[in-house]
Every structure is written in structure tokens, then in C-alpha cells.
Amino acid sequence: MRMLLAVALGGIVGTLMRFGISLWVSNQWPRHFYFATLTVNLAGCLIIGFLYAHFLTRPEVSPELRGALIIGFLGSLTTFSSFSLDSLRLLESGQVLTALLYTSGSVVGGLLAAWAGLALARL
């Protein structure tokens, strides 16, 4: 139950931060709507890399805090950060082909899935 609450609270903060960043970026550069997504994705990648390294050297950090930050906060801020960390971990473990397949499959598959959803909605 503690983990569930920790993840939920982290998710609330991440969602509100994403909303706030999106509003701010959209107000600064209204013609470049994608800057908001790019901003949260890059920030999320930076943060997840830092937290992952930090948690490797600090086993005393509670699972609830890890869950709140990585699953809740970053999961609601951006899932691109998790995708990037997964890809990096595959590369670090020597699974280069799997990393390339996962990365290209995620990007191309994501674009195709979004296109398919758009096409279905237009039917």
C-alpha cells in the first residue's frame, strides 16, 4: 500500500509538472508545439540517468522513494525516459542488436501505431 501511494503521489507531481512545462513552452514558442514534448522528454532522460546512477550507489534509498521518483514522477512526466534507460541498459550489457531492435521498433512501431490510431478514428 505504501508503494502504491508513493507512485501515485509521484505521478501527480509529474503530471502537474508536465502540464506546467507544456504551458510555459507553448506560450514561449506557440508555433513550435513539439518543443514541449521535446523538453519534458530530454529533462526526463537526464533525470532518470542521474537517479539510476544515484540509486546504484545508494542501496539504502527506500523502494517507495525509488518508485515515487522513477515510476510515478518520471512515468507521468515522460515515458521516453524509461525507454531511453532500457535502451542504455541493453547497450551497457552488450546486447547491441537487441538495443537496436528495441529502439528502432519503439520509434517506428510508435509512429505506425499512432498513424493506425489516427486512421481508425477517421473511419
Side-chain angles (χ1 to χ4, degrees), residues 63 69 116:
L69 292 173

Side-chain angles (χ1 to χ4, degrees), residues 105-120:
S106 295
V107 172
V108 174
L111 288 170
L112 288 173
W115 172 81
L118 182 63
L120 285 171

Side-chain angles (χ1 to χ4, degrees), residues 40-82:
V40 296
N41 283 343
L42 294 178
C45 290
L46 176 70
I47 295 166
I48 204 168
F50 176 84
L51 290 176
Y52 179 69
H54 182 73
F55 293 156
L56 285 176
T57 62
R58 301 265 185 334
E60 70 276 6
V61 175
S62 73
E64 291 84 6
L65 182 55
R66 291 171 191 241
L69 292 173
I70 291 183
I71 299 166
F73 175 70
L74 291 173
S76 63
L77 181 68
T78 171
T79 57
F80 192 78
S81 57
S82 297

Side-chain angles (χ1 to χ4, degrees), residues 8-121:
L9 289 174
I12 290 168
V13 173
T15 298
L16 293 174
M17 184 172 274
R18 182 183 184 124
F19 178 71
I21 290 170
S22 294
L23 280 178
W24 183 81
V25 170
S26 295
N27 285 332
Q28 300 302 309
W29 301 283
R31 292 181 48 225
H32 303 286
F33 64 91
Y34 53 89
F35 280 3
T37 302
L38 180 63
T39 300
V40 296
N41 283 343
L42 294 178
C45 290
L46 176 70
I47 295 166
I48 204 168
F50 176 84
L51 290 176
Y52 179 69
H54 182 73
F55 293 156
L56 285 176
T57 62
R58 301 265 185 334
E60 70 276 6
V61 175
S62 73
E64 291 84 6
L65 182 55
R66 291 171 191 241
L69 292 173
I70 291 183
I71 299 166
F73 175 70
L74 291 173
S76 63
L77 181 68
T78 171
T79 57
F80 192 78
S81 57
S82 297
F83 159 74
S84 297
L85 181 61
D86 289 346
S87 300
L88 183 61
R89 291 178 69 192
L90 286 169
L91 288 170
E92 285 183 334
S93 67
Q95 299 178 63
V96 176
L97 180 59
T98 302
L100 291 173
L101 290 172
Y102 174 66
T103 302
S104 60
S106 295
V107 172
V108 174
L111 288 170
L112 288 173
W115 172 81
L118 182 63
L120 285 171

